Every structure is written in C-alpha cells, then in structure tokens.
Amino acid sequence: MLKSKTFLKKTRAGGVMKIVREHYLRDDIGCGATGCAACGRAHEGPALELQPQDPASSLCPRPHYLLPDTNVLLHQIDVLEDPAIRNVIVLQTVLQEVRNRSAPVYKRIRDVTNNHEKHFYTFTNEHHRETYVEQEQGENANDRNDRAIRVAAKWYNEHLKKMSAENQLEVIFITNDRKNKEKAIEEGIPAFTCEEYIKSLTANPELIDRLACLSEEGNEIESGKVIFSEHLPLSKLQQGIKSGTYLQGTFRASRENYLEATVWVHGDAEENKEIILQGLKNLNRAIHEDIVAVELFPKSQWVAPSSVVLHDEGQDEDDVEKEEERETILKTAVNEKMLKPTGRVVGIIKRNWRPYCGMLSKSDIKESRRHLFTPADKRIPRIRIETRQASALEGRRIIVAIDGWPRNSRYPNGHFVKNLGDAGDKETETEVLLLEHDVPHQPFSQAVLSFLPKMPWSITEKDMKYREDLRHLCVCSVDPPGCTDIDDALHCRELENGNLEVGVHIADVSHFIRPGNALDQESARRGTTVYLCEKRIDMVPELLSSNLCSLRCNVDRLAFSCIWEMSHNAEILKTRFTKSVINSKASLTYAEAQMRIDSATINDDTTTSLRGLNKLAKILKKQRIEKGALTLSSPEVRFHMDSETHDPIDLQTKELRETNSMVEEFMLLANISVAKKIHEEFSEHALLRKHPAPPPSNYEILVKAAKSKNLEIRTDTAKSLADSLDQAESPTFPYLNTLLRILATRCMMQAVYFCSGMDNDFHHYGLASPIYTHFTSPIRRYADVIVHRLLAVAIGADSTYPELTDKHKLADLCKNLNFRHKMAQYAQRASVAFHTQLFFKSKGIVSEEGYILFVRKNAIVVLIPKYGLEGTVFFEEKDKPKPWLVYDDEIPSLKIEDTVFHIFDKVKVRIMLDSSNLQHQKIRMSLVEPQIPGISTDISNMDINEPERKKKKLQK
C-alpha cells in the first residue's frame, strides 16, 4: 500500500516545483515474537522470547514485553543495558528520534539490539499498515509521535492476544511523560513510569541505583536557596550570539583550581579568543567540554588567571558561604597587562557529558542514601547520587552518569552505572585510565576479525604483481627491547658508481586493511596504538600487528619501500618509492645495534650497513639543526618489573643512544620525501602533519627563567631559539641546559594532522621542515595507512576510492586522529604516574635532589631528574600556621619567610606516596633543603633506607 504526499516548493529562480513524497506500508512486518503463527517468519535477526524469563514484577506478574518511549531510551539507557532487562520492543519512531537527538545513545541501542541474549526487537511501525499514523491537523510532531507509540503498543497487545490466549502475554508501555501515560491508560494500555516499573522488580534492587534522576524544571526549587542564575533558553542564546551580545565556545575547566575555567571561543575572530571565568556563579553549572554561551564583562571587571591551586575537598555539600570566601583568594592585585577577557556562562548550547569514573565519598549521615561521588578527573565537579549499596561501593572505582544540575544544588545529580573493582588494583586502575581517556579497548569484534587473512598465510604471485623483490638486500630493524610490532627496517649498501643506496622499508599494512571494511573502520576509530607501562592496546588485531605486518627477521614480509641514492656526504641524488617484498636479516635493539657499530671485531654485512647508516644520519642531523630544527627534551622513564608480581622494582630515565638518533633521522627523511610526493600528486587531499609556531606569549616563562640565570633566549625564529638554547650553558650548572630544553618543550604547540586542501600553512616548526607527514608507522598509526594509500595511488600500485579524494571526509578523519593521539598521550602519562606511585609505595620515603621548574603563588613545582618525576611542594597546609609568602610574577620568584626561590634553583625534597585519599593517591613532596623553620622537613631522624618498616605500616 502506498501513501503519498504532494506539496509545492518555490525555487530560487522564482519557479514552482512539485514534490511527491511516497511512503510504503506493508503487511509482512513481523511482531518479533519467536514462533508467532500470525507473523510466520517475517522477522529476522534478534527476536523476542515466546515465554519471557524476565525478573518478576510486583506490578505486572504476567509474562510481558517492554515498550519504552523516546525519553526513556535517551535517559535510562544505563538501566536498559543491564542484563536483567530483556525482551524490549524498540519502535522505529523512537529509534529515529534517538538518532536525531543523541548519536552516542543511538550507538548503544544498536549494540544492545544486536546482542542476541538481550532479546531487543526493532519494530518498523512507521511502515506497518496497522501501526502507521498520519499527523493530524493542529497536531505537532511530538504529539503525533507519542500517538504513534501508543497505537503500536495497543496493536501489540491485541496481536499477542490472538497469538496465544492461554499464554496471556502483554506489552507494557514505559513512559515518564505524565500526560502520555494517562492517555495510554485511558486507551487500555498497561503503562508505568520507568521508576515504578524498576522499583517493582523486587529481585533486582540494584537496578534502582542505575535510574537517572530527572527533576522536572518546575519542581527544582522546592528546598534550599537558589545558588545559580537561570540558563537562558536556546532561542535567546542563538539570538544573542547572532547579535554579538554573547559568545559561543567550549568550556574548559581547570585541573588546578575548581573555581576557575576558560572558554575557547569558536570562530575566526582574533580578539577575545579565550575568556576567563572565575567563581561558582559565573561558571554557572557548566561542565568540562560543554558548548556554552558566555556574556563578556566590561573591562573594569576583567581578572587575571589565578596562580592559586585550589581543590574542592569540602565534605559540606552546600556551604556556599565558604566558596565565596575562597573566591576572594583568587582576586589578586595584578598589573594591567595580566588582565584577560572575563565573563560568565549565561546558557548551555550543548551538553557533552560522558560516564565518569571515580569513587564514592560516603555520607556521614547514618542510613543516608544520598552520597557524593568524586570523579577521577579533577575538572569534573562532584556528583550527588542516590544508592542503597554505599557500603559495598566504598573503596571501589565506579562509573557514574550525570542527569542534571538544578539551580538550588551545589553539585549536579547523577546515578550509579557500574562497579569497576577495587581502587589501587592494577587491572581496575588500568581500566579507569583507558575509560577516562576514551581509549577504545574492547576486544576486536568477530565482524572485524573476519577480514583478517586466513592462516597459514604466504605471499602469492598476485601479491608480487606490483612489487619489487628486495629479499636479497641486507635489511635489518632496530627497535626498543621487547618490541613485537616492528614497523620499519633499513638497509645501506654501496653502488657500483660509488654512491650509496639507502632504503627505508615500512610494513605494508594497507595491503591487509582494505578501504571501508569493518577492519578499516575499527582501525580508523582507534586511530593509534596506545602503549601503557605493561600493556599495549593495539590499533589492529594481533595477527597483523605482531605477525603478518611485523617486519620480523628471517621471514618474507610485504613492505612499502622508500629508496634513495645518496652521495657519501648525504646529498640526495634520486628518490624512488616501490611496494616490495623483504626478508630482514636481523631484529636488533638499540643497544645491540650500538654495540655492533662500536665493536672493532664485528664486520659482517649487517654491521657494515649499520655503520654506513649511522655515518649518514650524523650528517643529516647536522644539516637539520643548521636549518633550525629544535632538539628538545622531556624526561622519559623506564620501569623494571618484578617477574612475578609485575610491580615496578626500579625506575630510571631512558638512555638515548646514537642508534636512536640514527633510526629517527631516516624516519624523518622518509616522512618528508613521502610528504612531497603525495602533495605533488594530490595537492587538495594529501594528509599532512604540521607543527604551528607558538605565539610569543608562550615563551614568556622560558625567557624569564633564563634571564634569572643571566642567560638570553631568543624566540623570534626556530633557528634563533635552537641557537640560543645551544649557547645557554653554565659551567657550574651542567644540567641547566637540559632544564631549559624541558621548559622549551612545555612552550610548544601540539603537532596536528590536517588535509592539504583545507589549510595553507604546512610548516613544521620543531623539525624546521616546509612539509611533513607520517608514513613510517602504519601498524600503530592510522594516519600512515591513509598516507600509504595515497602514495600507492601516486605510483600506480593501488587503486583509489571516493573517500580518499574527499577533502571534507579527510578533514573529519584528521580531527578524530588528533583527538585519539592526544588522548593516547595523556593515557600513557597517567600509566607512568600510576606505576610511579606503585614504585614509591614499595620504596617507602626517599629524599632526592631536584630542580624548580615553575614557581606558583603558594607552591613550587619540582623535577627530580633521577626518576623523571615532577611534583608540587605546597607551602600552605591545612591546620598549620600560614607562612609569610611573597610572589613576584615578573621574575618569577616566591619568597617564603627569608628564603627566595627562582626557577631552576636546586632543592632537596622528601618524596613519599600519600594514600590518605584513595581516589587521588599522589606523590607528595615536602621541602628538606634549603632549611626554612616551620616549613622544611627534618629528615635527620628518619631512616630513609628502611622502606620495609614503612611497608609494614602501610599494610596494617
């Protein structure tokens, strides 16, 4: 049966166009119940059980299916995902509305409907002859959809009666809309609110905790005084943004100070790019990453970013007076130059909430069900939840979702989602840091694994069609110890004409991952492999990452080769690219390769090749540095693990050898050569990587720090920065140059992927290269896979596909890759921090020398080179008399009593693990030297070398 709508539309040219919309209605759409005689086998895929074995409900004792409306699906998805909830009918009307309103919830619903054990059935009610409804005159779309849902619920109940009279199956309509529920009951449809139904499941009381608490706007202000001003409606916000009264931007909360945030304003305007918000009322219930509308204050009310470190540790939930007292601490006398555009949040354009990991702060009130949840991410406010299992959840890591933030509440309201395990447990903490950094880490699905090659795998004649056979070459790989995902291998040999041939051979991952299939989509979503201290979260399944793509020694492997002919002084004479087959002759670690190069007794082909590569690499590096490439520094650490407990037993900074630099030089050269080639061939849609030059203000701290040590750092160009860093030496303070380079690293911008057709600034500041890309690590970076595909098309070794030459799709892909890379970096740092805590837990209290990296208003940030560890020494502690502090931002310096601290000053600190806050266990540092009465820690009576005694105490 065909329904059609016809309407007329006026075209731009002034003509009239007739548009006909056709809507087909069918009789053969099944109800989804297994074995329904009336429907036959009309439905496929997951189906409803004929005799639902669901938990008993005191409200509806008969066997039943559930039929939720759109808002229940949107807000109560955590309940619906619970294994106890099965046999749910998801209407097409509801699914379409969810899709339009929340992509993440839509994806979660699709995943649940694909899970056969859950028995969720999608019913296409909009195309079923008996359940389709047309919009009536004067009826809005929302009311029409509500009616469509009720019609489908009624049809189901009548249909199921026909199917089996003795079975007495019924469909229960779940809605939180009071009017909709009343109408359903009038029409004879059994209907309950989500809360009523869940509370009726007496065998599953834990489900009540997962209910989202939704307060209706009108009922918000029943108790307590109003703390926050009302959020303006979206229509007013849009008008205000259009007229310039308000600015739209992304809300970024501060980790250091819960009473301060910045809003990064969207758009291209140069002024007021970053707006500071200070104080609870001006933050006005915005949460990190929300899209907000901001009202800018007049200049007379502008403030400077605060240098105070403030964490929300108060147990008193609604003590707003105390907050106002703390806000006055933020206001400091500053000169005009320090003032930044300041404003307040007037409304929320889009909430970007996610489930948050953290811990429960149990209420002191006995038998209380209301507790505060403290998220692991310090940028997220505490969340008030109701739970009956507080005692069981104490000391555990849990997940909580936010439901709303009423105007009269100091904290947002939320609900419990999941228990992850004991805090401090290695597995639990790893899960937390992966979830908190949004790292996709579920096992690869069957759909993804189905696109892997069948084993045993071997190279076929077809594979050789566009390839060169380079198996005769003396190729070898050099990697960190324990590396199984070997992306790259090298060779160097002398040609008959006296020149050198150098090859960089990269795993041919794009041969195995074909565009658009499930394996490709999953790799693109993950974007990068994430390396944690004891775990690797692969971007591609292990069969590829550690076997078929890994360039292991003595096996034939497919590669993509970049081969140069060079003179002996590293001048490039010819460059060519080819798909190839190689057979690596050796898989070496950096230390093994270094030993071969240095040993006078080893002269085999591999070692000769390595010596040739090393000699050329030194020349290439010198040339790069002369052009202005930066040599920066960041202290990287390596853990030595106990073979049984897998706990860290030693911690040391990584040693960099010549061979590290050798591999790096050829990888950079290959990346630059490929970047030039793909940009030549595809000027509009080459995937490139750029590193923007930092704005001059970023360097202020570096210049001031150097000046305090009577050194000059010039920052007008990368070359002048590199040269002045080279000259910034102090014979009495050899580590000063490393400290300056560490500080310079902090001043840098993030390097990003971009599409050449969407940008005109290609320059890579750190490498001093006019063009750059990533080609050399396709096993662990998806950007390299795309670059391989572009290069393969450029040399005629593979065919193109539409997405590869669509610059908008490529730009979207770059956005995801940049996000994934940033998150991977943060996850890696969090993993190092956690393992450092484990190390100091067993080590006890130690005393070490360090250097001041930053001076704050009430603290100093100290770097301990021995451990590559950074920590903060606070000078204002609770319940202790406040010392006399004088902070000078110009130098910068901090005077405590009669002692003045500058950046790079040498100090001695006591390091210990503070476990008083289970959630945020942290390395606590306190000052030992210089000695300041009442501030410094006296370590004379503390036996530092007896961690065992400390350990026993900790275990008690």
Side-chain angles (χ1 to χ4, degrees):
M1 183 180 157
L2 181 69
K3 292 260 177 194
S4 65
K5 264 187 198 167
T6 308
F7 54 93
L8 302 173
K9 188 180 171 189
K10 200 172 179 183
T11 64
R12 275 187 180 173
V16 173
M17 199 160 105
K18 185 178 179 182
I19 293 176
V20 179
R21 289 263 164 86
E22 293 180 341
H23 189 93
Y24 290 89
L25 299 180
R26 296 164 52 173
D27 298 318
D28 59 349
I29 296 170
C31 68
T34 313
C36 171
C39 298
R41 299 194 56 79
H43 53 266
E44 289 173 9
L48 304 160
E49 290 175 297
L50 187 60
Q51 291 177 316
Q53 303 298 308
D54 288 336
S57 162
S58 56
L59 286 174
C60 23
R62 281 162 53 183
H64 55 269
Y65 302 141
L66 300 179
L67 192 150
D69 73 358
T70 309
N71 283 324
V72 170
L73 228 57
L74 278 170
H75 301 300
Q76 307 293 356
I77 179 70
D78 290 319
V79 172
L80 295 172
E81 282 178 331
D82 193 280
I85 303 293
R86 293 155 38 156
N87 293 296
V88 174
I89 298 159
V90 181
L91 297 181
Q92 182 190 1
T93 311
V94 170
L95 204 55
Q96 281 170 346
E97 277 198 277
V98 169
R99 188 179 191 167
N100 293 334
R101 286 168 61 181
S102 171
V105 174
Y106 178 73
K107 186 187 179 302
R108 286 167 74 180
I109 280 294
R110 296 302 308 179
D111 290 346
V112 174
T113 49
N114 289 332
N115 178 352
H116 289 253
E117 288 169 17
K118 290 280 285 171
H119 299 284
F120 272 50
Y121 177 66
T122 308
F123 178 61
T124 323
N125 64 309
E126 295 289 354
H127 290 279
H128 192 289
R129 188 199 292 267
E130 292 177 51
T131 58
Y132 172 73
V133 300
E134 290 203 46
Q135 195 165 344
E136 291 172 355
Q137 215 167 353
E139 185 179 43
N140 66 30
N142 210 21
D143 289 344
R144 180 258 166 214
N145 287 349
D146 284 348
R147 189 161 57 86
I149 297 167
R150 292 197 304 274
V151 164
K154 194 166 186 177
W155 174 85
Y156 254 105
N157 275 317
E158 286 165 5
H159 177 80
L160 293 176
K161 269 179 201 159
K162 284 181 216 164
M163 181 178 103
S164 153
E166 70 280 356
N167 226 358
Q168 292 190 312
L169 259 173
E170 63 180 348
V171 166
I172 291 171
F173 178 39
I174 305 289
T175 178
N176 289 332
D177 181 329
R178 197 174 65 244
K179 285 181 186 164
N180 205 7
K181 183 186 161 194
E182 283 167 6
K183 283 182 185 170
I185 291 167
E186 274 171 32
E187 292 167 21
I189 304 162
F192 301 104
T193 66
C194 193
E195 194 173 341
E196 286 168 346
Y197 179 76
I198 296 302
K199 284 182 174 173
S200 78
L201 303 177
T202 45
N204 299 78
E206 75 286 351
L207 274 177
I208 299 169
D209 287 355
R210 301 187 74 170
L211 277 170
C213 82
L214 301 166
S215 62
E216 290 178 28
E217 286 296 315
N219 304 340
E220 257 182 23
I221 305 157
E222 284 173 2
S223 62
K225 66 173 188 180
V226 176
I227 303 169
F228 300 101
S229 55
E230 201 170 345
H231 286 152
L232 297 179
L234 199 54
S235 55
K236 275 196 180 165
L237 296 179
Q238 285 165 339
Q239 274 175 350
I241 289 162
K242 211 171 178 183
S243 66
T245 316
Y246 306 135
L247 297 166
Q248 176 178 325
T250 305
F251 182 88
R252 300 269 165 85
S254 161
R255 271 195 180 88
E256 302 283 303
N257 187 340
Y258 75 102
L259 293 174
E260 186 168 279
T262 48
V263 170
W264 288 80
V265 177
H266 302 167
D268 303 323
E270 280 304 304
E271 56 170 1
N272 303 337
K273 273 305 278 179
E274 196 182 327
I275 294 169
I276 288 185
L277 314 174
Q278 269 185 7
L280 267 189
K281 289 177 181 169
N282 294 333
L283 302 180
N284 198 4
R285 299 172 287 155
I287 290 170
H288 185 64
E289 293 293 342
D290 281 350
I291 309 294
V292 297
V294 177
E295 178 184 47
L296 200 60
F297 289 155
K299 280 196 174 176
S300 59
Q301 292 177 36
W302 285 12
V303 297
S306 168
S307 308
V308 178
V309 179
L310 276 184
H311 292 149
D312 180 12
E313 287 164 356
Q315 267 299 328
D316 196 354
E317 289 187 17
D318 292 314
D319 194 351
V320 181
E321 277 75 17
K322 201 168 253 179
E323 304 295 356
E324 287 167 2
E325 210 176 285
R326 297 188 90 172
E327 282 171 26
T328 56
I329 304 171
L330 306 181
K331 314 274 187 283
T332 46
V334 284
N335 62 23
E336 286 288 307
K337 273 197 305 192
M338 300 294 290
L339 297 177
K340 294 269 170 79
T342 309
R344 69 182 185 101
V345 170
V346 290
I348 310 290
I349 291 161
K350 183 173 183 275
R351 288 289 194 190
N352 276 324
W353 298 339
R354 59 179 175 84
Y356 301 103
C357 299
M359 291 180 75
L360 201 65
S361 309
K362 201 173 159 215
S363 170
D364 295 337
I365 304 164
K366 222 179 171 192
E367 303 299 315
S368 174
R369 285 183 184 171
R370 299 180 81 190
H371 308 274
L372 277 179
F373 162 82
T374 307
D377 186 342
K378 288 187 176 172
R379 293 168 301 189
I380 307 298
R382 296 158 107 190
I383 302 162
R384 187 185 280 115
I385 68 166
E386 284 196 29
T387 176
R388 290 154 179 75
Q389 41 182 339
S391 301
L393 295 178
E394 232 183 336
R396 319 276 294 197
R397 289 282 198 176
I398 62 173
I399 296 178
V400 161
I402 297 179
D403 301 323
W405 195 340
R407 288 173 59 198
N408 62 332
S409 170
R410 166 68 181 82
Y411 297 110
N413 293 328
H415 65 273
F416 167 77
V417 176
K418 189 181 178 188
N419 182 349
L420 294 172
D422 289 330
D425 173 71
K426 209 181 296 185
E427 287 297 309
T428 306
E429 295 301 330
T430 303
E431 177 75 3
V432 166
L433 75 87
L434 291 171
L435 287 166
E436 277 299 291
H437 296 98
D438 200 4
V439 174
H441 60 286
Q442 287 71 29
F444 289 98
S445 69
Q446 274 314 115
V448 169
L449 298 174
S450 68
F451 286 96
L452 291 175
K454 302 289 173 273
M455 296 301 284
W457 173 85
S458 60
I459 296 168
T460 63
E461 263 184 56
K462 190 183 166 196
D463 294 337
M464 293 300 296
K465 196 174 175 188
Y466 296 106
R467 289 180 191 276
E468 273 187 52
D469 191 339
L470 303 179
R471 285 176 281 200
H472 59 286
L473 294 177
C474 186
V475 171
C476 70
S477 63
V478 185
D479 290 283
C483 176
T484 59
D485 51 344
I486 303 170
D487 284 291
D488 53 87
L490 300 152
H491 89 270
C492 174
R493 63 173 182 165
E494 194 157 335
L495 297 171
E496 286 173 7
N497 62 10
N499 290 328
L500 296 171
E501 179 187 83
V502 175
V504 165
H505 311 277
I506 306 298
D508 188 5
V509 179
S510 63
H511 172 84
F512 296 96
I513 301 181
R514 302 311 295 163
N517 68 23
L519 175 58
D520 182 44
Q521 286 171 356
E522 182 60 19
S523 309
R525 187 174 80 91
R526 293 183 177 219
T528 178
T529 291
V530 181
Y531 294 91
L532 305 179
C533 291
E534 270 194 289
K535 195 174 185 176
R536 190 178 84 199
I537 314 292
D538 280 325
M539 179 184 86
V540 298
E542 195 177 4
L543 178 67
L544 296 182
S545 67
S546 296
N547 188 349
L548 302 185
C549 290
S550 185
L551 305 180
R552 304 189 303 188
C553 59
N554 304 319
V555 286
D556 292 352
R557 287 289 176 260
L558 301 178
F560 210 149
S561 302
C562 174
I563 299 167
W564 303 277
E565 188 177 323
M566 288 184 176
S567 66
H568 282 264
N569 55 6
E571 188 189 341
I572 297 170
L573 307 169
K574 275 185 203 161
T575 307
R576 70 189 182 88
F577 306 99
T578 178
K579 289 233 176 182
S580 59
V581 179
I582 63 163
N583 186 306
S584 171
K585 305 297 180 273
S587 296
L588 307 171
T589 65
Y590 290 117
E592 287 166 349
Q594 192 66 53
M595 188 202 72
R596 282 186 178 227
I597 290 168
D598 297 341
S599 169
T601 55
I602 308 176
N603 290 303
D604 61 351
D605 289 350
T606 303
T607 309
T608 310
S609 176
L610 285 168
R611 287 188 185 129
L613 289 165
N614 197 34
K615 187 173 155 231
L616 290 169
K618 286 178 182 174
I619 302 167
L620 289 168
K621 186 171 185 176
K622 190 165 173 278
Q623 287 172 359
R624 261 193 332 108
I625 287 168
E626 277 166 10
K627 280 188 200 158
L630 297 171
T631 311
L632 299 175
S633 179
S634 61
E636 278 194 81
V637 293
R638 178 170 214 100
F639 292 95
H640 293 267
M641 299 293 181
D642 184 299
S643 57
E644 286 179 19
T645 64
H646 294 283
D647 282 342
I649 46 175
D650 196 12
L651 173 65
Q652 62 189 63
T653 45
K654 284 185 189 172
E655 187 188 338
L656 292 177
R657 296 179 172 82
E658 255 183 24
T659 43
N660 290 71
S661 182
M662 173 189 85
V663 173
E664 186 188 1
E665 284 309 314
F666 287 107
M667 296 307 116
L668 293 174
L669 189 62
N671 286 335
I672 292 167
S673 300
V674 171
K676 286 175 183 167
K677 177 71 180 172
I678 61 172
H679 183 247
E680 239 169 64
E681 208 67 34
F682 307 106
S683 60
E684 284 292 294
H685 44 259
L687 192 153
L688 302 175
R689 188 164 175 82
K690 67 171 181 176
H691 182 214
S697 60
N698 278 30
Y699 285 128
E700 271 177 23
I701 187 78
L702 176 67
V703 173
K704 284 178 184 176
K707 196 177 171 187
S708 71
K709 295 284 177 248
N710 299 316
L711 294 168
E712 187 197 359
I713 297 285
R714 297 181 306 283
T715 60
D716 42 331
T717 64
K719 174 97 177 102
S720 61
L721 174 64
D723 292 345
S724 54
L725 280 170
D726 287 342
Q727 290 154 17
E729 296 282 355
S730 167
T732 57
F733 187 179
Y735 196 67
L736 177 65
N737 191 266
T738 307
L739 285 169
L740 282 165
R741 290 181 195 276
I742 288 169
L743 206 52
T745 309
R746 308 289 170 92
C747 302
M748 293 299 142
M749 305 290 280
Q750 191 85 32
V752 289
Y753 296 111
F754 69 102
C755 170
S756 59
M758 306 291 273
D759 209 318
N760 45 24
D761 173 25
F762 293 6
H763 190 75
H764 196 293
Y765 180 80
L767 298 173
S769 174
I771 192 166
Y772 191 66
T773 193
H774 272 163
F775 164 75
T776 54
S777 297
I779 296 177
R780 57 191 176 89
R781 290 189 305 233
Y782 188 75
D784 304 51
V785 175
I786 295 291
V787 169
H788 275 227
R789 288 174 183 169
L790 288 163
L791 185 62
V793 174
I795 64 166
D798 206 342
S799 51
T800 185
Y801 58 98
E803 282 77 13
L804 194 64
T805 53
D806 181 331
K807 63 182 184 181
H808 296 286
K809 288 228 167 101
L810 213 53
D812 287 343
L813 178 70
C814 288
K815 195 175 169 185
N816 179 53
L817 294 179
N818 291 329
F819 171 72
R820 293 290 180 209
H821 276 263
K822 188 167 72 175
M823 286 299 134
Q825 222 177 358
Y826 291 162
Q828 283 153 8
R829 284 181 205 161
S831 180
V832 169
F834 174 63
H835 280 78
T836 307
Q837 287 172 10
L838 288 178
F839 171 70
F840 281 105
K841 190 174 183 175
S842 60
K843 188 105 172 136
I845 301 174
V846 296
S847 184
E848 284 295 341
E849 288 185 340
Y851 298 97
I852 297 176
L853 267 191
F854 299 103
V855 177
R856 300 274 185 253
K857 199 184 269 182
N858 58 348
I860 53 173
V861 178
V862 177
L863 173 76
I864 313 293
K866 182 178 175 182
Y867 299 125
L869 175 68
E870 213 175 290
T872 307
V873 177
F874 289 97
F875 295 117
E876 288 181 333
E877 288 190 51
K878 267 188 225 163
D879 313 321
K880 281 196 177 179
K882 281 193 178 179
W884 186 59
L885 302 175
V886 181
Y887 174 68
D888 184 342
D889 185 65
E890 280 304 304
I891 300 176
S893 70
L894 178 66
K895 187 176 182 183
I896 303 159
E897 304 297 339
D898 296 319
T899 308
V900 182
F901 291 101
H902 297 94
I903 293 183
F904 302 149
D905 282 359
K906 195 174 193 176
V907 291
K908 193 170 192 176
V909 293
R910 188 179 89 158
I911 311 165
M912 63 178 284
L913 179 69
D914 177 4
S915 308
S916 58
N917 180 341
L918 245 186
Q919 155 104 309
H920 292 121
Q921 290 196 25
K922 52 178 174 253
I923 304 290
R924 194 174 279 284
M925 290 188 184
S926 52
L927 191 68
V928 174
E929 287 171 20
Q931 289 237 324
I932 304 170
I935 300 286
S936 299
T937 308
D938 180 17
I939 58 160
S940 55
N941 58 3
M942 182 186 80
D943 192 343
I944 290 163
N945 299 317
E946 271 193 45
E948 282 308 308
R949 194 175 66 201
K950 200 80 198 158
K951 257 204 273 191
K952 282 175 191 153
K953 269 190 189 174
L954 285 168
Q955 284 161 5
K956 274 179 190 172

